Amino acid sequence: MVNRCGLLTNTEEPVPLKSIEVQLEVKDHVATVVSTLNYENKEDKPIEAVFVFPLPGDAAVCHFSAQIGQKHIVAEVKDKQQAKEEYDHALSSGQQAFLLEGSEEISDIFSLKVGSLPPGESASIGLEYVTELAVQADDGLRFCLPAVLNPRYHPSVQVTSVPASLVPYSLSFSVQVSSPHAISKVESSCSLEPLQYLNTDQTQATVKLAAGHKFDRDIELLIYYKDAHQPTAVVEAGQASAKPGSLMGDPVVMVSLYPEFPQSVMSSHTSCGEFVFLIDRSGSMGCRMNQKRPQETRISSARDTLLLLLKSLPMGCYFNIYSFGSTFEHIFPKSMEYNEMTMEEALRKVEKMKDDLGGTDILQPLQHIYSQPCIPSHPRQLFVFTDGEVGNTKEVIDLVKKNSGSHRCFSFGIGEGASSALINGIAKEGGGHAQFITGTDRMQPKVMQSLKFALQPSVEDISVSWDLPKGVSATILSPPITTLFQGQRSLIYAQLTGKSSETTEGSVTVKFSFEGHPSKNQLHFSLKPAEDSGLTVHRLAARTVICSLELEWKPNGQQNEEIKKKVVELSVQSGVSSFFTAFIAINKDSPESVQGPLRCRIIPTPLYRARNPAMRPTIDGAPSVVIDVIISVSLQIPLRAIESLVEEIRDLPPLKEPLLQLISLQKAAGYWLLDQDLAAVLEKPSDEVEKAKPASVKNEVWASILALIWLHGFKLDAKEEWELLSMKAASWIKAQNGNISRILLLFTVCD
C-alpha cells in the first residue's frame, strides 16, 4: 500500500478542497479536535475527492458528518467490509456517499472519500477525533496538527508537489483550554494571537492561529499548567441516550498521574544495564532536520546523538549499536562491556554511518536483538530511532509486547513523517517512553531525557486502589501500570457504576516501591460530573479498551471472531473508530441520481521543506546564566586560581559548535586530558592552560575542572544534553582523592 498523506494530484484539474477549519478543545491532559473540510466541484462532471491524512497513533475518530446544501448527514459506524460495500453500491446507484476508514496496515493513516459530488455542488465534511496529549521534558503538554498535505516518506513514490504559498485552500485554527490547575502559557511553532483567559483563576483560556499560515510546517502547541505534578481527576457524565451499566451510559473518571520522586533517590543513577541503540539509515535520513540548521541532516544529528549517548553511559554497563534500512547491521556481534576501548571502536564506526541502507524494515533487526540472550543483572534498554513508517506496524508492536518482560523500549520519531502509531506503540508496549523530534527541536535533549529514564531504578509493586462510597464501584478500563518514571505521565480510566446518597467524594491511591522506598500518591475527587464535559473521556476510555482487544487479535487466531465481535460492538456503541469498522454516510434523500462517469480528484500537496522557526529563543554569545559547579573533594586548589580562571573563560568568544568538540574529547571513565585539543576548545595556548594548573593537582583533574567550568559557563542552556556526562566527570574527580571531607568549590559566574 502506498501511503501518500494529503490531497494529491498529478493533473491540472481544479482543486475541490477550498478550506479547512479546526477547533481544538483541551481538557487537562486530553483533547478533542473538530475539523471541517469544505469542498466545491467547479467542474462540469461529477467527481470523487479522496483525502488521505495522518492522525496521532492513539487518536480515536468519533464523529463524521456531511453537510450538502440544507441536508445534514451523520455517518454511522459499521463493520468495515459492510461499509465499503454500501459505499460502492451507493456510487454505482448515482447516490452521494462518504466513507472514512483507517488503513489496514498503518493505524494512524485515514482516508476520506467524498463520492459523487455533482457539478457546482458544495459539501462540508465534519471530522472529530479525541487524543491524549504527550508530556514534554519541560512539563509542557504537546499537541501537533500535522501539515496534513505533506506526503509520508515512501522510497518508491514520487509525489507531485506545489510550493506551500500556492496551496489553493486555507486553514483556520482555534484552541480552548481548561484544566483543574491554572494555565501558565501556550507556545507554538507558528504565530498565535495573544492568549485570552476566560476566568479569574486562569483555568480556562482561548487562543487562535494568526492569519496567513502556510502549509509548510506542522502546527505544534505546548501547553503549560501550574502545579503540573499534582495529580488530577476529571469525572465525565455518561451519554443520556446510552443504557445505564454500559461504558457510554455510566460516568467515567480519568486520573492523571505525573509523580515526582525524592531527589535523594533520583541523584543515584544505576550503573548497570545493557543499552542497545537501533538507528534508522533509510534514504530519508539524509533530509535536513530543519531550515535553521541547513547543514544538519537527520543522519548527522543521529551520529551526534550517538556520540553524546556513548559519552554519557556509566562504566561497567554493556552496549551495542544496530542500524537498519532494507537490511540491518550491528557494530559488535553481541553487546560489549563499556570501556575506553569499546567506546572508541564504536565511535569510529558511528562516524561512518550514512543514509545508505534503502527502505525501512525494522522487524528483522528487532527479531535479531530479541534473539540475543539478556545479560544477568543488566536490564536491557532499547532505544529506537526512525523517521518513517512501516507496513507491518501491528506485527512490530506485537513483537515488542511479546518481549516486554525482558527490556524497556524508548522510541524517537524524527521529523513530521514518523509514524506516531509505531513510535507510541512500541514505547507503550515496551514499558518505555516515546519522543518526537519535529520543527527546530534538537534530538539530543529529548534523547538524553529518555536515557535518564533508562538509568532510573525500576519502580516496583505498583498498585491502584479505590475508596468509593457504598453503592459505587470502579471498573478499571486501562491496562495495569507497569512503569513509572520521573517526568512521565500516566492516565487511568475507570467506569463508575452505581449511586450513593451518602457522599459525593471518592479517592484513588497509587502505591509503589522505588529503590526500596515505599511511596504513594492519593487523590480525592468529587463524583459529581463536570458540567458540559462532552464525551472526550468516555471516547478515550473506549479507545483504550478497543486497543487492548485489537492487540489480542492474531492472524489465524482461534478467538479472532469473538474478539472482532467485541470490538465492533464497542466501536458502534461508542462511535469510536477501530481496525474492524469504518464510518459510512449516504445521502438517500437526493432528489435525483448523479449522472455521468465519476472522475477521481486527488489534490496537490505542498512542497516539503524544512520547518518551523524556533519555538523558544536560544542563548548565543557569552553566558547569561548562573553557573553552579560543586566538586566534593579535597584537592587543595586555591580559590583565587579558580576565580581567575573563571574570569578568563567568561571573556572568551564562543566557538562554532564547540559543545560536541568538547564532548568528543571526554574519556569513557569521565575525565579529560590536559592537551592541545582541550586548549583549542578553550581558545587558549596549551602552555598557558598548563601554567595555570596548581602543582599539586593532577593534569587530568585540572583538565576535567576546566571542561566543567566551560560547560557551565557557556552551555547551561544545553544542560539537558551534557548533565549526565558532567555527573560522570564529577564522580571521577571525587574518586581521585579518598578524603572527601568538604565541598571545596562552590562558585557562580554571572553576566
Side-chain angles (χ1 to χ4, degrees):
M1 175 180 177
V2 174
N3 296 302
R4 308 179 184 182
C5 289
L7 293 161
L8 318 167
T9 189
N10 293 323
T11 63
E12 299 297 328
E13 280 78 6
V15 175
L17 180 65
K18 297 304 173 186
S19 64
I20 303 175
E21 302 165 12
V22 179
Q23 294 176 308
L24 170 66
E25 183 178 1
V26 176
K27 296 176 182 176
D28 198 19
H29 285 237
V30 298
T32 299
V33 184
V34 180
S35 302
T36 303
L37 295 88
N38 300 304
Y39 293 87
E40 182 181 0
N41 180 12
K42 291 189 175 182
E43 300 186 55
D44 58 359
K45 300 290 184 182
I47 64 169
E48 178 187 31
V50 180
F51 184 32
V52 181
F53 57 97
L55 290 180
D58 56 356
V61 176
C62 54
H63 181 81
F64 174 44
S65 62
Q67 182 78 35
I68 306 171
Q70 300 300 313
K71 181 67 175 178
H72 184 71
I73 310 168
V74 177
E76 299 177 74
V77 181
K78 295 187 177 183
D79 177 89
K80 183 178 288 188
Q81 186 59 39
Q82 179 185 350
K84 288 181 178 180
E85 291 174 358
E86 290 185 13
Y87 177 80
D88 292 338
H89 177 72
L91 294 192
S92 64
S93 302
Q95 293 178 304
Q96 293 175 324
F98 309 88
L99 180 70
L100 177 69
E101 61 176 322
S103 164
E104 294 184 359
E105 292 86 3
I106 303 171
S107 62
D108 60 345
I109 298 294
F110 283 77
S111 66
L112 167 62
K113 294 182 179 180
V114 181
S116 294
L117 192 60
E121 185 72 85
S122 297
S124 294
I125 307 300
L127 172 67
E128 181 177 337
Y129 69 88
V130 290
T131 187
E132 298 176 355
L133 300 181
V135 181
Q136 303 303 289
D138 59 359
D139 298 337
L141 295 176
R142 178 182 181 269
F143 170 79
C144 184
L145 181 70
V148 273
L149 315 179
N150 283 327
R152 282 280 183 85
Y153 166 69
H154 194 286
S156 61
V157 175
Q158 297 295 324
V159 178
T160 300
S161 307
V162 298
S165 60
L166 300 181
V167 171
Y169 33 88
S170 61
L171 171 69
S172 65
F173 180 68
S174 61
V175 184
Q176 181 166 330
V177 184
S178 61
S179 170
H181 298 300
I183 302 159
S184 299
K185 59 182 177 178
V186 177
E187 296 180 344
S188 178
S189 57
C190 304
S191 298
L192 298 175
E193 294 182 1
L195 184 70
Q196 301 289 329
Y197 289 106
L198 302 180
N199 54 7
T200 55
D201 59 6
Q202 299 185 344
T203 58
Q204 296 181 9
T206 62
V207 69
K208 292 182 179 180
L209 183 69
H213 174 74
K214 303 299 181 183
F215 291 93
D216 59 348
R217 70 193 71 174
D218 291 353
I219 298 175
E220 185 180 34
L221 290 181
L222 290 175
I223 302 167
Y224 297 86
Y225 298 140
K226 294 180 180 178
D227 301 319
H229 287 276
Q230 292 298 315
T232 61
V234 175
V235 179
E236 187 177 80
Q239 195 172 20
S241 59
K243 180 181 178 181
S246 67
L247 189 154
M248 299 304 292
D250 285 340
V252 170
V253 58
M254 178 186 71
V255 177
S256 303
L257 298 174
Y258 189 35
E260 280 190 298
F261 299 139
Q263 188 60 40
S264 59
V265 179
M266 291 302 301
S267 61
S268 58
H269 291 284
T270 180
S271 61
C272 62
E274 178 196 9
F275 298 88
V276 181
F277 307 108
L278 180 57
I279 310 296
D280 191 340
R281 284 174 55 189
S282 60
S284 59
M285 288 291 286
C287 296
R288 292 178 179 179
M289 285 293 291
N290 58 65
Q291 199 167 9
K292 185 178 180 181
R293 299 186 297 274
Q295 76 283 0
E296 183 181 19
T297 63
R298 294 172 182 177
I299 191 65
S300 70
S301 182
R303 288 195 300 263
D304 292 345
T305 302
L306 284 172
L307 165 66
L308 194 57
L309 283 166
L310 291 177
K311 294 291 183 175
S312 302
L313 291 179
M315 294 293 285
C317 72
Y318 287 75
F319 78 104
N320 203 353
I321 301 174
Y322 288 73
S323 55
F324 70 96
S326 300
T327 60
F328 72 91
E329 300 176 357
H330 45 69
I331 288 184
F332 303 115
K334 62 178 182 179
S335 293
M336 302 294 288
E337 185 175 355
Y338 176 78
N339 54 42
E340 184 68 25
M341 184 177 67
T342 55
M343 183 194 75
E344 289 296 337
E345 181 179 352
L347 287 174
R348 285 193 296 270
K349 294 179 179 178
V350 165
E351 189 62 31
K352 298 177 181 179
M353 284 186 175
K354 299 179 181 179
D355 53 307
D356 56 358
L357 291 185
T360 309
D361 182 359
I362 196 173
L363 187 63
Q364 289 189 56
L366 281 176
Q367 290 172 332
H368 181 84
I369 291 169
Y370 292 140
S371 71
Q372 303 298 304
C374 292
I375 301 170
S377 302
H378 288 271
R380 179 173 287 169
Q381 316 283 355
L382 175 62
F383 287 65
V384 179
F385 301 79
T386 181
D387 72 341
E389 63 178 68
V390 295
N392 54 351
T393 300
K394 189 175 186 302
E395 190 176 356
V396 172
I397 294 174
D398 285 346
L399 179 64
V400 174
K401 181 180 180 181
K402 180 181 178 182
N403 292 275
S404 60
S406 64
H407 81 304
R408 290 191 289 191
C409 181
F410 300 86
S411 56
F412 306 89
I414 307 170
E416 282 77 4
S419 167
S420 59
L422 176 67
I423 301 303
N424 286 323
I426 62 177
K428 181 177 181 180
E429 296 303 330
H433 188 67
Q435 300 266 27
F436 290 88
I437 300 101
T438 59
T440 55
D441 289 345
R442 282 176 55 79
M443 188 184 302
Q444 290 84 355
K446 295 194 173 187
V447 173
M448 296 312 295
Q449 182 197 29
S450 290
L451 180 59
K452 291 176 185 177
F453 287 169
L455 289 169
Q456 289 178 20
S458 297
V459 175
E460 300 175 338
D461 302 325
I462 303 172
S463 65
V464 179
S465 60
W466 299 80
D467 184 8
L468 300 171
K470 185 178 180 180
V472 180
S473 60
T475 301
I476 307 298
L477 304 174
S478 306
I481 299 177
T482 57
T483 58
L484 282 174
F485 297 118
Q486 171 86 339
Q488 183 185 39
R489 188 274 324 276
S490 298
L491 295 180
I492 303 172
Y493 300 98
Q495 179 181 343
L496 300 177
T497 304
K499 295 182 179 180
S500 173
S501 58
E502 299 177 359
T503 180
T504 59
E505 187 177 90
S507 68
V508 59
T509 303
V510 180
K511 296 181 179 180
F512 54 87
S513 176
F514 190 69
E515 282 290 271
H517 298 268
S519 183
K520 72 175 183 178
N521 277 271
Q522 187 174 41
L523 173 65
H524 295 270
F525 60 91
S526 172
L527 294 175
K528 183 180 179 181
E531 296 181 2
D532 301 324
S533 59
L535 292 169
T536 302
V537 173
H538 277 75
R539 288 163 172 164
L540 283 169
R543 177 60 176 161
T544 298
V545 177
I546 287 171
C547 287
S548 297
L549 289 170
E550 287 176 341
L551 286 172
E552 294 178 14
W553 189 91
K554 308 292 183 185
N556 304 316
Q558 294 181 350
Q559 304 297 321
N560 279 357
E561 285 304 315
E562 183 179 345
I563 292 171
K564 179 180 177 181
K565 181 180 178 181
K566 290 181 180 178
V567 170
V568 172
E569 286 179 353
L570 183 54
S571 180
V572 171
Q573 178 195 28
S574 63
V576 168
S577 58
S578 75
F579 181 76
F580 303 110
T581 55
F583 286 84
I584 176 70
I586 300 174
N587 185 8
K588 298 179 181 179
D589 298 332
S590 180
E592 58 183 28
S593 62
V594 179
Q595 303 296 320
L598 195 64
R599 296 178 177 177
C600 183
R601 290 291 175 261
I602 313 178
I603 304 170
T605 173
L607 180 66
Y608 173 83
R609 59 188 176 198
R611 292 164 160 68
N612 309 42
M615 180 174 296
R616 305 179 186 84
T618 57
I619 300 174
D620 295 320
S624 61
V625 288
V626 173
I627 303 173
D628 182 6
V629 177
I630 302 175
I631 306 176
S632 302
V633 289
S634 184
L635 296 175
Q636 305 303 319
I637 304 176
L639 282 178
R640 61 179 178 274
I642 296 294
E643 292 169 357
S644 175
L645 179 64
V646 168
E647 288 299 322
E648 291 183 14
I649 292 180
R650 185 177 62 178
D651 294 334
L652 291 176
L655 295 175
K656 181 180 179 181
E657 295 294 333
L659 178 58
L660 290 177
Q661 185 179 352
L662 181 71
I663 290 172
S664 67
L665 298 176
Q666 189 182 29
K667 299 300 181 180
Y671 64 88
W672 279 264
L673 296 177
L674 189 64
D675 56 17
Q676 60 183 8
D677 292 330
L678 178 63
V681 174
L682 301 178
E683 287 198 334
K684 287 283 186 179
S686 298
D687 56 350
E688 187 173 337
V689 172
E690 294 177 8
K691 184 179 179 181
K693 181 185 74 67
S696 61
V697 178
K698 297 178 181 178
N699 286 357
E700 291 81 2
V701 172
W702 182 246
S704 300
I705 292 174
L706 296 181
L708 290 177
I709 292 173
W710 188 91
L711 287 172
H712 285 82
F714 284 100
K715 290 297 178 180
L716 199 61
D717 58 320
K719 186 177 180 180
E720 290 176 326
E721 301 180 36
W722 51 259
E723 185 176 16
L724 287 178
L725 61 87
S726 72
M727 290 171 60
K728 185 161 67 168
S731 295
W732 179 87
I733 293 173
K734 291 178 184 180
Q736 302 313 298
N737 190 302
N739 182 22
I740 302 175
S741 58
R742 62 189 177 91
I743 295 178
L744 179 65
L745 301 178
L746 174 57
F747 57 90
T748 59
V749 175
C750 304
D751 282 334

